[in-house]
């Protein structure tokens, strides 16, 4: 298939490599084109604008940092919507519901939201979990590429923003699990109980899920650098959840707790800590 | 082994049946002795006081409703400490750190804290998870009985209250997971997203643990009666966590959120709802 | 002095009348010009665009609903910045720090932020409290008009956004006082204590300030309609505070509590309740 | 009148001096009798037990540190209830609703709850505010003494615990005002706004009450030692509020925020800081 991908950061780069590996005909674009060098060497074509990339593809994937970047690449000068002919656009980025809505309204059935769960190592291993929403035929069209980059595709509806909402809820749930473990571990530590012993019981009983296994060790060891997912990006995502909650009139007090701890972590420890550093904020407040 | 159990409620009764089934010589006691009838018919001996039960056993287990009951049975008239000779006491109940400390100080190596994870069906099936702390020799002595009633024993230290702390942290973590799912589902529902679809993605990715699988369906269907674990007991446990947090000077804002939702659930929906009814409180507040 | 005012809502209309009453030469503009009729009859001149109004004035005041309206009137087509010559712009509206910053950067010493405390009756009575920040000479220039519309001017610095920050802090403090009274009164009511008796002690001792006296009666009587200041506007302001707190990395958990109660009030009771209806949300949650 | 007072700490000592000054016949008792020396020199009689003090008085006042002390002095060996004949008991201490209830039930009309607002300097100046509840005749009997020690008596009902509830609500309201100012000042400071300028606007407009004037300066200057009212006593009172809220099923999220900040202040800064040190906790969390 003729595929294009816009955005070659840690996630986008790994996804691009897997698309290429699966034998698709790949065009790439990135704001700083140097990131495309290895891919071009591997057979990809470099486009100079999003529109040019899209013009050469049946499907164009976007994997960008935030709303602003997706807006620019889609609606901006030489953006996707300037391509002729227009192709299917699959948005992999974590963006606001408002932007997802705007993308869906502007592109109709030619737009699918498909944000992913998984960090760069999972992306590299083609083990992402993909949450897709959009027109069934459009999702079916993209499925071979989803299969090349992920282990499973969850279809959550025909209205594209639904997938973005699931993604935001998932990130909120991750932070919630970290918050809960962080508070429990602070209580344990101040009572002289070994955090590891607590963790072993938890994961050996009701809490044996990846979210606990992935983040527990950092909380036990207090290791928050280097960041797998930096706290400011976590804050950005929690702000998107808050924006959705405000829009839908949903009080979410646990979300408030998480945001305050992220603000504290960033204020005191800097922009380069992992989002799990809310565990350090919790411990600091207990005088640990 | 000669074993006694004090407290034959839903949990204690099931545990007693499994002790008997494993071939141990069992003495039972309950405040209202009628609950002992079937066990006596099955071969157990009925004692008229805790002290009498303890006098006939190598190990006495207590499985009672709250601190007050455990205090009465241990320190009260004709209580465990009035038995002659004194035997090993294994406390299975969920009690405060303060009481666990007092029990350990009064009984020394003859006391083991061993609260359990699991509801009545798990108790019936001898599938409890046991968290034990105390003198290693004492735990070893009780191990055959633990094997008769549970699937796994986690030893978390030699200081008995450590086991109670782990149990309290576990219940806090359960409530935290329910709170997180409840908020995410309220956000989903008010945005027109199917709660089940959200749940399937969550449990199919990072959140595939029993805690989510056990409580998700009630949140999706809004079914909070009959109560598996009534909200007032959940509140009692969260108050024990708060007492421990206050004692150790540990701010736990998520605990505060949970307690407020439990208070709301009880105030508005009564004492007979399940502790997962915090999900209803969250939804009510969003106007669902 | 030749003065213009843009925005003739409840607040702007009352302010305009007082400017006129003080003998200034007044030009008015409003998006829907019919609101200007009585003022024109009273001697004011009606402008057809913000730029036209500004061109006829030494000082132009803006008193508009939100950031979007102020942006349009300032930076939009036929906006203030299109006037020739440019005059002093005094912003009375409650806007975001980000917009205040942008207004200051675009207009330099020709811009003063001067948000006000006081509701329509205070505006009518020329009893507003004005919080001003900007170049001292510019504030001095506007002082005669401030004197015509308010009872006191507080100068809080030379950097215009400082005044907007004080205004946002003030609104946050108002909501905080309502939240505190609301929680105390719910506790009183559920214990059978007369809310009025509690209120009398509070205002007769440490809490004898207008903020308590103004909002206490609504909480006692449970009267939240008609709205003096509708809950959605209160939410808008609290969101501006949250935006400032996020930008400056300041955890504000009490702000989170307030926002959640505002969301609840709006979700359950509609857009037409007063912002003090968080008191009803608090009572509802207690089962009152 | 023949009056006795039990408890001669900072508050009780000052109250005793004013009772003596007003010409009453005073008997005093304190756990460590050395605190009575100056009073005895000034004409008071020293009793060796609470019962002895009560036996010599028409009215006995108790002003003690906590529930435990009041319980011991009332119900303990040689306690008030052992006096013959029994006299009127006026409880000035800040105690739990549960204890107030028990005191009222044990003593009937002979018990009046009359907790006070005001710190030691106000007690010294006979400027306390007294909140009384109990049988009208009993309150009338005590009124001459109230007049000797306070500036105003608020009668809030005939059920004694009502007065204690008002006192607890008052302390909660004080902490709420400190929390609100603390958050607003942290937001101000991180935006480069002078805290004093903010404070001047607040107290010059809607917030001109003693609670703000009393605590603002400490928050501005960051001075939390020596403690006027130590944080652990503030925490004790907030725990009493929480106990009352739990008992009455009233969610109080702002109370949770305050308690967590008190725990943080004590955990990080020690037991000797003032309860207004929650302002420091708030600032610390913002990285100030």
């Amino acid at each position: 298939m003729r595929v294009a991908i816009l955005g070659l950061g840690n996630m986008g780069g790994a996804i691009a490599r897997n698309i290429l590996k699966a034998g698709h005909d790949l065009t790439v674009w990135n704001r700083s084109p140097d990131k495309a060098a290895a891919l071009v060497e591997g057979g990809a074509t470099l486009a100079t604008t999003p529109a040019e990339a899209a013009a050469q593809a049946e499907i164009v994937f976007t994997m960008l940092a935030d709303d602003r970047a997706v807006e620019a690449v889609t609606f901006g000068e030489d953006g996707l919507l300037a391509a002729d002919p227009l192709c299917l656009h699959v948005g992999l980025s974590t963006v606001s519901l408002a932007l997802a809505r705007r993308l869906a309204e502007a592109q109709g059935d030619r737009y699918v939201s498909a944000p992913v769960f998984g960090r760069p190592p999972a992306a590299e291993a083609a083990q992402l979990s993909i949450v897709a929403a959009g027109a069934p035929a459009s999702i079916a069209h993209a499925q071979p590429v989803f299969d090349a980059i992920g282990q499973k595709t969850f279809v959550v509806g025909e209205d594209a923003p639904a997938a973005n909402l699931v993604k935001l809820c998932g990130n909120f749930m991750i932070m919630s699990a970290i918050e809960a473990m962080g508070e429990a571990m602070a209580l344990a530590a101040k009572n002289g109980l070994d955090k590891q012993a607590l963790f072993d019981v938890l994961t050996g009983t009701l809490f044996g899920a990846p979210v606990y296994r992935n983040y527990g060790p950092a909380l036990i060891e207090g290791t928050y650098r280097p960041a797998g997912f930096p706290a400011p990006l976590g804050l950005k995502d929690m702000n998107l959840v808050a924006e959705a909650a405000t829009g839908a009139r949903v009080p979410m007090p646990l979300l408030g707790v998480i945001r305050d701890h992220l603000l504290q972590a960033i204020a005191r420890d800097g922009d380069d800590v992992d989002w799990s550093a809310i565990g350090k904020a919790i411990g600091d407040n207990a005088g640990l």
Side-chain angles (χ1 to χ4, degrees), chain A residues 199-218:
Chain A
F199 180 72
D200 291 343
V201 175
L202 293 173
T203 50
T205 55
L206 288 166
F207 305 91
V211 70
Y212 297 108
R213 295 192 195 284
N214 290 355
Y215 292 100

Side-chain angles (χ1 to χ4, degrees), chain A residues 39-187:
Chain A
L39 284 158
V40 169
E41 206 164 310
T45 305
L46 181 64
T48 58
T49 67
E52 183 190 316
Q56 299 174 20
E58 287 165 63
I59 312 183
V60 59
F61 289 79
T62 47
M63 188 45 148
L64 298 153
D66 54 23
D67 275 33
R68 186 183 300 252
V70 174
E71 278 176 329
V73 153
T74 307
F75 301 105
E77 204 182 343
D78 295 322
L80 286 187
L81 296 190
D84 183 13
L86 288 165
C87 67
L88 178 60
H89 175 195
V90 178
L92 303 172
S93 318
T94 300
V95 298
S96 70
L97 296 196
L99 178 56
R101 173 70 55 216
R102 188 177 163 210
L103 290 166
E105 286 173 358
Q107 301 172 89
D109 282 1
R110 286 196 328 280
Y111 177 70
V112 168
S113 271
V116 300
F117 285 101
R119 294 198 168 179
E124 205 67 59
Q127 291 293 308
L128 296 171
S129 293
I130 298 157
V131 182
S138 300
I139 293 175
H141 192 178
Q143 192 64 53
V145 185
F146 291 157
D147 292 341
I149 66 175
Q151 59 176 320
K152 182 152 183 192
T153 305
F154 296 87
V155 177
V156 295
E158 302 199 12
D159 189 37
N164 301 87
L165 182 57
V166 170
K167 169 65 181 171
L168 292 178
C169 283
N171 278 7
F172 163 69
M173 294 282 295
I174 293 171
M175 288 304 284
S176 296
I178 298 172
E179 175 71 35
M181 268 197 293
E183 294 192 13
M185 284 187 182
L187 183 61

